[in-house]
Amino acid sequence: MLKQEINELLTQTGPGTPMGDLFRQYWIPALLAEELPEDDCPPVRVKLLSERLIAIRDSDGRYGLMDEFCAHRGVSLWFGRNEESGLRCSYHGWKYDVTGQCVEIPSEPDERHSSLCAKIKLRSYPLVKIGDVLWTYMGDPARTPDLPQWEFTRVPAGQSYTSKRWQECNWLQALEGGIDSSHVSWLHSDGLRSDPLFKDAEGNKYNLADRKPFFEVVESDGGLFIGVRRNAEEGHYYWRITPWVMPAFTMIPPRGDHPIHGHFWIPIDDENCWVFTYDYHPVRPLSAAEVRAMKDGKGVHNEFVPGTYRPLQNKDNDYMMDRAAQKRGETYSGVKGISMQDASLQESMGPIVDRTKERLVSTDSGIIMARRKLWRAVEALRDEGVTPPGVDVTHQAVRSAAVVLPKDQSFIEGCGDALRVRPGEKHASV
Ligand code: FES
Ligand SMILES: [Fe+2]
């Protein structure tokens, strides 16, 4: 349970809010690179942390992210013309470069033109392609951190796949689903048996057999390692370890030789978020069948309303609930697909869940510690200007793991280096 003021502190990320200031310390995923596929392609509207922005790729391949609205009289630049190294407003032809600098006001007399242009600059943020993702940093330019180093963006191109989807609820309740490994034994029990990106892993049997997982949470440099233990063979436990790196990165523990996956939960505004979903294998290319399955919405990906990033199963169609499939035992909740199983339940809590009413239990200890850590970091930044965990790129070099360990061994000791990125070495997985 949280006090209402703490719930507001952690869920509000608009400009000037303490949590918004925290998010503005990090490079965060803004768009998929596929959204700006070529020079001079159409501009894309992007809302992040409650700011309405426009993203472009100019004639010279440079990316830019700036205020959506023209400085002249507030027209949306989405209607603009992206041409000749800049974005031109369709109303009176004012033109901006990728930094938001006004470079042309065609209606003004020549003698005033350059001095007037120089004074006009839209708010803008850097936009950088790393892997399949365009990243932005929306904070104070003087504090710009090093570019992110997440392993899924750094492996060779054929080893990684990323999708994104719109989720219609606050970022924090979506994140909390990502660090709550206990729901897997219920909500996703069908997926462990049938999904091509999950099935046939040795570890699945422990997941399905032991529905009373024990949580052990350990602090890491950038956030937490959330260890979840289930019974395995005599004298052993099956451990699944989920890293969370502040504020919004999670990585699901692997299964067999399947690719590893995880999410970034990025606020659009206080009632919506982008879920960026990555899948990668540290040492081998993804197979054609794996990529096909991801594009078809299997694993932790999903199907889309054509031409959009809205899931095909969404709250307007009750996520295509199939009660008959539920009765036949094909799905636990009646909703098909891991990510839509999660999204349907998280969105059902309302846009911002009222955390003053919840009743937390032992399997919520990862969530409790994550909230505490966020809250502490928000206060340290606000009160003393302390850079939060997870900004330092060395904090990002983590991996999830799934291992069987003797009962007397802690997961931190048993996993050792398996929880760190080891380039060229396979992840620890059963
Ligand atoms: S409103 Fe954009 S040029 Fe006039
Ligand atoms: Fe889930």
Side-chain angles (χ1 to χ4, degrees):
M1 183 183 125
L2 280 187
K3 287 196 183 126
Q4 183 54 21
E5 61 263 34
I6 305 299
N7 200 24
E8 286 169 12
L9 182 83
L10 297 181
T11 53
Q12 297 176 352
T13 59
T17 60
M19 191 68 208
D21 288 345
L22 184 101
F23 260 98
R24 286 168 176 79
Q25 302 296 304
Y26 300 87
W27 286 96
I28 54 173
L31 307 87
L32 292 178
E34 68 180 24
E35 296 180 72
L36 294 173
E38 59 192 19
D39 297 351
D40 286 336
C41 59
V44 177
R45 296 184 189 100
V46 188
K47 193 175 185 193
L48 288 173
L49 310 181
S50 300
E51 295 186 38
R52 288 182 62 175
L53 305 166
I54 196 100
I56 63 163
R57 175 165 161 183
D58 76 3
S59 318
D60 313 301
R62 292 178 301 181
Y63 293 103
L65 185 63
M66 64 190 91
D67 191 348
E68 181 186 335
F69 302 100
C70 181
H72 180 209
R73 277 169 43 213
V75 160
S76 171
L77 292 168
W78 183 78
F79 292 92
R81 302 169 61 94
N82 185 19
E83 59 190 12
E84 295 162 341
S85 305
L87 184 60
R88 193 184 287 282
C89 179
S90 284
Y91 214 2
H92 315 91
W94 290 29
K95 185 177 166 188
Y96 304 90
D97 71 13
V98 286
T99 69
Q101 179 63 53
C102 181
V103 290
E104 219 181 301
I105 302 179
S107 57
E108 281 302 288
D110 286 350
E111 58 278 15
R112 289 194 56 210
H113 183 256
S114 57
S115 63
L116 188 58
C117 276
K119 282 189 233 145
I120 296 168
K121 188 170 186 301
L122 298 175
R123 184 168 34 96
S124 76
Y125 305 114
L127 191 63
V128 178
K129 180 178 180 301
I130 306 172
D132 297 329
V133 177
L134 298 175
W135 303 78
T136 191
Y137 167 74
M138 294 169 64
D140 175 0
R143 288 173 68 113
T144 307
D146 291 340
L147 289 171
Q149 288 284 349
W150 307 103
E151 190 180 23
F152 76 96
T153 67
R154 300 288 175 174
V155 293
Q159 292 177 209
S160 183
Y161 176 82
T162 308
S163 67
K164 81 166 193 184
R165 65 177 165 84
W166 170 28
Q167 181 157 330
E168 297 176 62
C169 72
N170 183 263
W171 80 280
L172 186 61
Q173 72 208 51
L175 164 80
E176 289 177 350
I179 54 175
D180 155 28
S181 175
S182 70
H183 73 271
V184 176
S185 306
W186 285 271
L187 181 61
H188 304 316
S189 46
D190 57 303
L192 295 189
R193 296 193 186 95
S194 60
D195 190 286
L197 296 164
F198 285 86
K199 66 178 184 181
D200 298 335
E202 193 51 33
N204 294 357
K205 65 180 182 211
Y206 309 123
N207 248 124
L208 292 166
D210 184 354
R211 291 175 150 199
K212 294 193 187 300
F214 178 82
F215 274 61
E216 191 177 316
V217 186
V218 174
E219 294 218 39
S220 67
D221 293 339
L224 299 172
F225 286 121
I226 299 147
V228 177
R229 184 184 95 183
R230 290 177 172 83
N231 289 319
E233 283 73 21
E234 191 55 40
H236 290 77
Y237 287 127
Y238 169 63
W239 283 94
R240 296 181 58 74
I241 297 109
T242 302
W244 165 63
V245 181
M246 283 189 45
F249 171 90
T250 54
M251 186 186 267
I252 300 165
R255 296 185 183 279
D257 190 46
H258 292 304
I260 328 178
H261 34 245
H263 307 283
F264 279 92
W265 317 88
I266 302 298
I268 295 173
D269 54 30
D270 295 345
E271 301 194 346
N272 296 275
C273 62
W274 287 125
V275 184
F276 285 84
T277 301
Y278 60 87
D279 236 299
Y280 77 105
H281 199 291
V283 298
R284 67 162 171 83
L286 304 180
S287 72
E290 285 170 341
V291 174
R292 185 72 264 151
M294 291 165 197
K295 288 188 173 161
D296 287 346
K298 301 288 193 286
V300 286
H301 302 273
N302 59 280
E303 295 172 272
F304 293 96
V305 174
T308 76
Y309 290 99
R310 190 180 199 205
L312 187 60
Q313 299 161 255
N314 56 56
K315 68 178 180 190
D316 293 344
N317 57 28
D318 278 329
Y319 311 89
M320 302 183 174
M321 165 69 76
D322 185 344
R323 298 282 185 194
Q326 184 182 29
K327 262 216 162 87
R328 287 194 302 272
E330 287 163 29
T331 54
Y332 188 79
S333 76
V335 172
K336 185 186 75 167
I338 307 266
S339 61
M340 288 303 103
Q341 289 163 358
D342 285 325
S344 58
L345 301 192
Q346 292 158 9
E347 291 180 5
S348 80
M349 298 154 100
I352 306 177
V353 67
D354 181 354
R355 292 181 174 79
T356 66
K357 293 195 176 132
E358 62 191 11
R359 303 284 188 84
L360 300 183
V361 294
S362 63
T363 55
D364 296 310
S365 56
I367 291 171
I368 294 166
M369 282 186 67
R371 290 176 186 173
R372 200 177 297 148
K373 206 153 167 145
L374 283 169
W375 176 10
R376 254 193 265 126
V378 163
E379 290 188 331
L381 174 68
R382 184 191 59 197
D383 302 340
E384 294 152 62
V386 176
T387 299
V391 171
D392 183 332
V393 293
T394 63
H395 298 179
Q396 300 165 7
V398 292
R399 278 187 184 169
S400 59
V403 291
V404 173
L405 298 174
K407 280 195 168 171
D408 59 359
Q409 206 168 26
S410 73
F411 80 81
I412 282 290
E413 192 181 273
C415 287
D417 277 354
L419 297 173
R420 314 282 321 158
V421 169
R422 295 164 301 156
E425 277 186 62
K426 211 171 129 18
H427 49 289
S429 180
V430 287

